């Protein structure tokens, strides 16, 4: 397979020039119309980068996924999720990020490149309060550039055409996917006697889960089996898996 490995080779294929619109649509802050599009978007993909690599996380909120603080600043609340905190772990070490906003029914997507910090300021968290709940942190985003994306990809996909929607009944459920993934996880190495196992009969498996460390404890227990031919009770020790526990960010 031939690999393209230079800008010069790309320019040979795609040309070195850009259309005027591709350049002039990029601004350093929100214009009134860009602000209108972003404020109405209920969904965004958040891309971040860290020492372990890249991450892209879905973010959604009815009524607007981000709050526009001013023409150069966005607030992205971090509501309860799977607790992997991959995006946040990246941002606290490398502030660079990117957002792509989708608006159901519109073929136009909005893109922002910028830098972020993670805040747990009490007043800021309280400002997002809803039904007695508030996010645990808020990502404060400084905009470096913002622009709208060519609509061709959404149009080709017919993303909002209900006739092309997948039938959920024919797709694997989260439970089925989790069961299959858990089977793969259980084939990992179990290492008895690790620090923190809680006892010599405990088995602990540790595996990196995104930017954090996933710890799984198997508590050994004795279960009676039918009596042996000589009349004595026969016992066997089987592993029993407790609920998963998550620990600190792993050292790398």
């Amino acid at each position: 397979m031939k690999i393209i490995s230079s800008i010069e080779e790309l320019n040979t294929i795609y040309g070195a020039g850009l259309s005027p619109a591709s350049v002039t649509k990029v601004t350093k802050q929100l214009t009134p119309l860009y602000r209108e599009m972003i404020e109405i978007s209920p969904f965004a993909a958040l891309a971040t980068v860290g020492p372990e690599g890249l991450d892209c996380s879905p973010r959604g909120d009815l009524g607007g996924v981000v709050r526009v603080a001013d023409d150069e600043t966005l607030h992205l609340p971090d509501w309860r999720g799977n607790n992997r905190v991959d995006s946040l772990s990246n941002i606290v070490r490398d502030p660079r990020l990117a957002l792509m906003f989708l608006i159901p029914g519109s073929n136009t997507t909005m893109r922002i490149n910028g830098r972020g910090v993670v805040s747990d300021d009490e007043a800021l968290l309280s400002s997002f309060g809803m039904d007695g709940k508030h996010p645990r942190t808020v990502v404060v985003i400084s905009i470096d550039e913002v622009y709208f994306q060519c609509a061709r990809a959404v149009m080709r996909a017919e993303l909002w055409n209900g006739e092309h929607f997948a039938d959920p009944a024919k797709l694997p459920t989260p439970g089925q996917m989790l069961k299959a993934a858990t089977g793969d996880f259980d084939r990992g190495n179990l290492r008895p006697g690790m620090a923190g196992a809680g006892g010599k009969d405990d088995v602990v498996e540790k595996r990196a889960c995104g930017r954090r460390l996933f710890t799984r404890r198997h508590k050994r227990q004795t279960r009676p089996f039918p009596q042996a031919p000589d009349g004595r009770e026969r016992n066997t020790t089987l592993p029993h898996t407790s609920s998963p526990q998550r620990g600190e960010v792993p050292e790398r």
Side-chain angles (χ1 to χ4, degrees):
M1 178 174 63
K2 181 182 178 183
I3 302 297
I4 297 171
S5 57
S6 71
I7 298 296
E8 290 74 21
E9 291 178 281
L10 286 174
N11 288 341
T12 299
I13 298 172
Y14 292 96
L18 291 173
S19 68
S22 297
V23 177
T24 58
K25 69 181 180 181
V26 180
T27 64
K28 298 297 183 181
Q29 60 185 23
L30 297 176
T31 67
L33 295 182
Y34 282 177
R35 177 171 184 153
E36 181 179 345
M37 293 289 285
I38 286 173
E39 285 185 323
I40 202 173
S41 170
F43 178 88
L46 170 65
T48 58
V49 61
E52 296 84 8
L54 302 174
D55 183 73
C56 189
S57 173
R59 301 296 169 119
D61 210 344
L62 188 62
V65 64
V66 298
R67 173 191 293 171
V68 177
D70 56 54
D71 290 342
E72 298 177 346
T73 312
L74 304 178
H75 292 163
L76 175 62
D78 187 64
W79 295 102
R80 182 178 178 86
N82 59 18
N83 213 40
R84 287 176 58 107
V85 298
D86 291 336
S87 299
L88 303 183
S89 296
N90 281 346
I91 292 170
V92 298
R93 296 174 293 172
D94 187 328
R96 293 175 296 169
L97 56 79
L99 288 159
M100 185 178 73
F101 297 86
L102 293 177
I103 303 171
S106 172
N107 291 329
T108 300
T109 57
M110 297 297 300
R111 295 178 59 175
I112 283 180
N113 296 321
R115 292 157 288 112
V117 295
V118 181
S119 174
D120 63 350
D121 180 82
E122 185 175 346
L124 181 58
L125 299 181
S126 297
S127 71
F128 284 94
M130 183 181 302
D131 299 328
K133 300 179 181 179
H134 57 73
R136 285 180 286 184
T137 59
V138 173
V139 180
V140 180
I141 299 168
S142 299
I143 297 172
D144 288 337
E145 57 182 12
V146 53
Y147 54 98
F148 63 91
Q149 178 67 39
C150 169
R152 290 190 181 92
V154 177
M155 294 173 63
R156 282 195 297 266
E158 296 192 40
L159 191 60
W160 312 121
N161 186 345
E163 295 181 0
H164 299 302
F165 286 1
D167 181 359
K170 296 180 180 179
L171 297 175
T173 66
Q176 290 169 335
M177 291 187 287
L178 179 60
K179 183 178 180 180
T182 302
D184 179 69
F185 187 98
D186 287 339
R187 285 192 288 271
N189 293 325
L190 299 180
R191 290 173 285 173
M194 291 183 63
K200 65 179 182 179
D201 292 330
D202 283 6
V203 176
V204 176
E205 180 176 11
K206 291 190 176 183
R207 177 179 294 189
C209 180
R211 279 47 174 173
R212 311 184 77 188
L213 189 64
F214 182 92
T215 303
R216 191 171 142 126
R217 290 181 171 83
H218 300 263
K219 191 74 174 179
R220 293 192 180 278
Q221 61 183 6
T222 300
R223 299 179 183 175
F225 270 60
Q227 289 187 337
D230 59 5
R232 293 179 301 173
E233 189 177 71
R234 186 163 51 193
N235 293 327
T236 187
T237 301
L238 297 175
H240 171 71
T241 302
S242 61
S243 299
Q245 301 180 23
R246 289 174 172 81
E248 70 282 358
V249 176
E251 295 183 0
R252 292 181 182 271

